[in-house]
Structures are given as C-alpha cells and as structure tokens.
Amino acid sequence: MSELHEQVTKFWELETCHAKSTNSVEDSLCEELFPRETTRDETGRFVVSLPKKDFVLRKLGDSRANAEKRFYGLEKRFVNNPSIKEMYLKFIQEYQDMGHMKLVPDSEEVLRYYLPHHHVLKPESTTTKLRVVIDASCPSTSGVSLNDGLMVGPIVQDDLITIVTRFRLHKFAIVADIAKMYRMINLAESDQRYQCILWRNYPLEPLKTYKLTTVTYGTASVPFLATRCLQKLAEDGEQSHPLAAKILKKDFYMDDALIGIDTPEEGKQAVKELNDLLCSVGFVLRKYNSNCEEILADIQEDLLSDRTALELDSFSTIITLGLIWEPSTDLFHFRVPTWSSSSCITKRIVLSDASKLFDPLGLVGPVIVQAKMFIQSLWQLKCGWDDPLTDEMQLFWTEFRRNLSSLDTLSIPRWVGFSSSSDVELHGFCDASEKAYGACIYLRCTHEDGSVSVKLLVSKSRVAPLEDLKRKKRKQSIPRQELSSALLQAIYTKNSAKVRP
C-alpha cells in the first residue's frame, strides 16, 4: 500500500501548476537553522543536524518493542527468501564497512529511538537491487513517531517540469547522478540516538543496537537536508567553480543531474568542475551519459552509465525521471508499464496502473487524460477499493492498457531547436469539453538561415470538476471550462517564459 501511495503522490504532483510563493513558519525556521547547525568535518563532508520539533520529540515513548516485532517478521520472510536475505546482509555489511552504522555499547545509557526497517527491491537498478528503508513514521508507545517530531523543510530545487524543460533547450545533454548522496552526509553525533536500528546476521545471535551516522532515507527532513547541502555547495563554489555552481543550483532534481550545454567544450568543462566541486564534500557523480561522444571520451570508464559503452549503440537507453532517453538518437521514448497480473480489475488496480503513467511534460497528454477521466468516473460510482468493476468498465481498462502499447513506437526529439541566435516565440493553445480541458505550449524558432522549427514544449490537461450537491457546487459550464483552460495556458506560458538556459 505504501508503494501505491508513493506512485499516486508522484502522479498527482505533476498536476500542480502553482509554485508556493512563501515559506511556512517551519520552512523559514529550517532555513534559519541550516547554516547555523551545519558544519564540515576534517574530510570536507557536510555534518547536519535534524530540524527538530523539540516539543513533539519530548513526547516520544518506547519504540524498541515495535522495532523488535518488525525485525522478527523480517527474519521470518528471510526463511522463505534466502536470496533477499543475502542481499540484505550485503547491504548491511556495506553500511558497517563504510562507517555509516556503528554498534552501540550496552553500557551507553542514553534515550534512544528505534527505527523499524524493511527493503525495497529495484530489479531494474544497475547499481543497488535492494535498498533498506527506514520506517521513521512508525509510532512509539505514546503514538508519536520520529517523523512527527521533525520539520520537513522547504523545497529548494526547481520543480521537475522546469528542470526537464530546461534540459530540452540545449543541443547537447548530459545526465548523471550522485552515488549514495544521503549516505555521504554525516549526521551530528547528538542526533544519531534518534536513528537506532536492531540487527543480527543470524537468528541464534543476540540482537544488537546500531546507530546510523548519516542522514537516512525514510526520515521526513532528509530531502531538504540533502538538497540544501547541494545548494550550500553551489554557494561556496560560485567563485572557484562558476559553471558547476550554476548546474548545482538549477539542473539537479534530488540527486539526478539533467544538464544542457551548447558545445562539447562547455560540456567537458562542466564535468571537470562538477567532479572537482562534488568530490570536495565526498560526493561522487557517476552513471554519466550524453548524446555527445566527445564529452564522454574524457570521463573515467567506471563513472559511465552501466547501460551503455563509451560508444553509444542504437539499443542503449537510460531512464531519465520517468522518460526514456536514447542518447544515440537524442530522442525521448515512452515505455509501457508492467500491469497488474490480476484477472479482476478493481479501483485499486486502476489507480495503481494510472500512477505508473509518468509524463511530466504532458507529451502524451491526450492519452493520460483518458485515465484521469476514468478514475473520476469510478469516484462518481463510489466503487469500493477492491470491488470488481462492471464488465463494461473492465473491458474499457483492458483496452486502454492494450492501446498504450502503441506508445512504444512514439519518439519525440529532446532538443527543441532553441539556440541563442534564434528568434524564439511561444505559441499557446487551449480548449475545453464537458469532461476535461487542457492547454499546450509550442516553441517556434526562426534560425539564422531562415528555417523554422516548431516543437511541443509542454502541455497539461485537467478533468472537469464534479458536481457536489452537499457543498452546493454545480457542474461547470463549457464557457467556464474554457476560461479554466485559458488560465491553465496563461500559467504554463508564463512558467515556460521563465525557464532560462
């Protein structure tokens, strides 16, 4: 269920089009605390403190009993899945070897918070197939969890649509990610007592307590702390590494870099500066890929993406934030998701299927909106989560899945033809119907030689609001829907105009 929640959250996040204009009180406090409580250790790595709500953390109750129960359940699953246990052991051993978790002596008397942990499998990953995830939302005996006592912090990076749009504005592109970014940021020793876990390699051994010494995936504040460290590094490197600092500020989405550059020489300089600046704080940028072989030629082979060789072949593809980008052709493709194998389709299955349709730029908006409208119809019928849909609805969704396979043949150029010497215009279109409305923005470039190129930059669709008798909210008329589509177009035209290379 948690995996479905994450998928749905990602799906609906793409529906928002209003950027938050001001920080909340908590967000402002996080920004105030970060520079005051963040230091660098002798190796140059960041050392951060958890942004705590002290009045909440004081209410934490006992957490060990719950952590023990969850761990014993994990051991039982290991009995039926020896391969999972082997990967789990390897992951934990790496944690210990790298000093990211340390044994807590029994003699150490301090109030600790124990975190249950479980695993997430990512078979498609080229590096870590299994990742251990901490459940910091697990309540203690008082009903309060660690995440309840942490401030989330503001979003300090550009939104996904802005980053991917900017990625399309340059002739050459580079992608990479930071290896184990969270684990390269140390946690202040005074806060490590809030990150204790239980572990033993074999059931006959006594349970031991370990404390995690780095910021940990699963805690509420870790996205802010990690991305704020990148922003701080950019600030510190503005004079010595100006190009890298600009990229860290504008072209990173969490630990993923989507970099657009205009010349191979600029690309080589960007890679050099990024490597130098990131290495100064213990970050390693790896899994490089590019549509320019000249840029890749200067990068260490072990830092290149495992999904391709130095010479890109026509079959190599890499996943870039939900889109499949083929570097050798510089084209975006869409991959049809793996559907549920259940023969009976329910509302839960439909929502899970729809949340896998990740299209941040709205390049296949006319397809995705059909899924949105179908989900809305399920809400109107007030279907139960696990009740079988009607035969007609099951047939519709089955056909929808089948027809999506045609997206495999669709290819869209990443580069929209923009250059500094081009005469650029944004052209917006919008329309509405009874069921949905939408808008799309095209980039029209007139080049120096007089040629003209027109490319779809971004689009967005919305389902029409439902009638709500309880709130005396009537269904919107077509003219009002058209006004809503015009507003949507205005917002995305304004946002597109703000995107700068």
Side-chain angles (χ1 to χ4, degrees):
M1 191 64 185
S2 61
E3 184 180 350
L4 175 60
H5 179 266
E6 289 180 11
Q7 289 176 347
V8 174
T9 299
K10 183 188 291 185
F11 181 72
W12 291 114
E13 274 178 356
L14 296 178
E15 292 302 292
T16 61
C17 58
H18 293 283
K20 190 167 63 172
S21 56
T22 57
N23 286 339
S24 66
V25 174
E26 276 193 7
D27 289 348
S28 298
L29 184 56
C30 284
E31 281 287 6
E32 181 184 324
L33 290 172
F34 182 86
R36 197 165 67 206
E37 298 186 350
T38 300
T39 59
R40 301 268 287 270
D41 65 15
E42 64 278 2
T43 67
R45 293 188 179 181
F46 285 106
V47 181
V48 300
S49 297
L50 296 173
K52 298 178 286 293
K53 305 174 189 175
D54 290 323
F55 66 95
V56 176
L57 286 182
R58 283 195 290 268
K59 299 177 184 178
L60 282 174
D62 178 69
S63 54
R64 181 177 176 113
N66 211 342
E68 280 189 16
K69 182 180 177 181
R70 295 272 291 272
F71 183 79
Y72 294 145
L74 185 66
E75 283 190 322
K76 287 180 181 178
R77 291 195 292 274
F78 287 162
V79 173
N80 298 321
N81 295 278
S83 60
I84 297 294
K85 179 180 180 180
E86 186 179 343
M87 287 190 283
Y88 217 106
L89 281 169
K90 185 178 179 181
F91 191 99
I92 293 292
Q93 188 60 52
E94 181 191 67
Y95 242 81
Q96 294 182 64
D97 292 343
M98 297 183 72
H100 296 166
M101 61 185 277
K102 293 181 178 179
L103 183 66
V104 179
D106 294 333
S107 58
E108 185 179 302
E109 294 183 5
V110 63
L111 179 64
R112 305 184 193 120
Y113 185 79
Y114 288 87
L115 298 162
H117 51 92
H118 61 280
H119 67 275
V120 173
L121 281 176
K122 290 195 169 184
E124 74 280 2
S125 174
T126 58
T127 50
T128 307
K129 305 291 184 185
L130 178 142
R131 182 175 62 189
V132 174
V133 179
I134 296 300
D135 184 6
S137 295
C138 182
S140 62
T141 52
S142 65
V144 176
S145 70
L146 175 62
N147 277 347
D148 292 332
L150 297 180
M151 292 182 279
V152 175
I155 297 172
V156 297
Q157 293 176 323
D158 282 344
D159 63 86
L160 178 59
I161 294 175
T162 298
I163 291 173
V164 180
T165 300
R166 189 183 297 120
F167 181 63
R168 303 184 69 199
L169 295 182
H170 299 266
K171 186 174 182 179
F172 300 104
I174 305 170
V175 295
D177 70 45
I178 299 174
K180 300 178 176 64
M181 181 173 76
Y182 292 168
R183 289 165 54 186
M184 297 300 112
I185 302 170
N186 291 328
L187 185 64
E189 191 167 355
S190 58
D191 284 344
Q192 291 174 12
R193 65 191 180 96
Y194 293 112
Q195 294 191 166
C196 291
I197 67 168
L198 297 171
W199 180 255
R200 63 185 177 190
N201 291 339
Y202 303 101
L204 295 179
E205 296 178 353
L207 271 180
K208 296 178 181 178
T209 297
Y210 293 85
K211 59 183 179 182
L212 307 180
T213 62
T214 64
V215 295
T216 302
Y217 186 83
T219 52
S221 53
V222 66
F224 164 72
L225 291 173
T227 54
R228 188 63 182 84
C229 283
L230 288 183
Q231 297 292 310
K232 179 65 169 66
L233 182 59
E235 295 166 11
D236 294 344
E238 276 183 330
Q239 298 300 320
S240 59
H241 301 78
L243 183 54
K246 179 182 176 183
I247 291 170
L248 286 174
K249 281 185 177 180
K250 300 176 66 176
D251 296 332
F252 268 79
Y253 187 75
M254 293 306 293
D255 58 348
D256 290 302
L258 284 85
I259 307 162
I261 34 87
D262 295 319
T263 65
E265 291 72 26
E266 184 186 359
K268 291 180 179 181
Q269 181 64 23
V271 170
K272 183 180 182 304
E273 287 193 19
L274 279 170
N275 286 340
D276 289 346
L277 189 56
L278 288 169
C279 282
S280 69
V281 293
F283 290 150
V284 176
L285 204 58
R286 50 90 193 260
K287 293 203 288 189
Y288 279 101
N289 218 317
S290 175
N291 61 334
C292 179
E293 296 182 21
E294 190 177 338
I295 295 172
L296 295 176
D298 287 352
I299 300 174
Q300 292 177 217
E301 189 170 352
D302 62 326
L303 296 180
L304 294 172
S305 171
D306 290 343
R307 298 196 176 194
T308 186
L310 282 171
E311 295 183 10
L312 303 178
D313 59 71
S314 59
F315 300 102
S316 64
T317 57
I318 61 170
I319 299 174
T320 304
L321 302 173
L323 292 175
I324 296 178
W325 177 48
E326 190 176 63
S328 59
T329 58
D330 204 14
L331 294 173
F332 283 136
H333 297 281
F334 287 89
R335 184 179 62 182
V336 178
T338 302
W339 306 118
S340 167
S341 58
S342 174
S343 58
C344 179
I345 297 175
T346 64
K347 184 167 79 171
R348 188 187 305 276
I349 289 174
V350 169
L351 195 59
S352 176
D353 287 349
S355 66
K356 296 174 184 176
L357 306 176
F358 191 59
D359 177 28
L361 296 179
L363 300 177
V364 290
V367 176
I368 306 297
V369 75
Q370 294 182 51
K372 297 177 189 175
M373 290 189 294
F374 186 71
I375 291 172
Q376 189 182 61
S377 68
L378 297 183
W379 252 257
Q380 284 179 295
L381 293 174
K382 298 180 180 179
C383 301
W385 279 105
D386 297 306
D387 294 339
L389 303 186
T390 65
D391 291 343
E392 184 181 355
M393 294 183 115
Q394 294 213 40
L395 179 61
F396 173 87
W397 196 249
T398 302
E399 278 295 296
F400 178 76
R401 285 174 168 179
R402 187 179 65 81
N403 291 335
L404 276 179
S405 61
S406 61
L407 290 181
D408 281 342
T409 63
L410 182 66
S411 60
I412 298 171
R414 178 201 59 83
W415 185 42
V416 291
F418 176 88
S419 69
S420 57
S421 60
S422 302
D423 183 17
V424 178
E425 299 173 355
L426 289 174
H427 291 253
F429 302 88
C430 60
D431 204 355
S433 70
E434 286 186 358
K435 294 184 177 181
Y437 61 93
C440 55
I441 310 298
Y442 286 83
L443 188 73
R444 184 183 189 274
C445 296
T446 303
H447 305 289
E448 286 183 297
D449 60 2
S451 62
V452 175
S453 64
V454 180
K455 296 288 194 307
L456 176 64
L457 191 63
V458 64
S459 77
K460 195 58 62 178
S461 60
R462 297 276 190 278
V463 290
L466 295 173
E467 185 177 18
D468 191 337
L469 297 178
K470 290 183 179 179
R471 298 181 182 179
K472 298 180 180 180
K473 182 180 177 182
R474 299 176 60 187
K475 190 174 182 179
Q476 287 189 357
S477 63
I478 295 293
R480 192 170 183 84
Q481 292 276 88
E482 289 175 337
L483 285 173
S484 296
S485 72
L487 174 62
L488 195 63
Q489 178 196 322
I491 290 170
Y492 273 89
T493 301
K494 180 182 177 182
N495 290 347
S496 299
K498 285 181 178 179
V499 177
R500 289 287 184 270

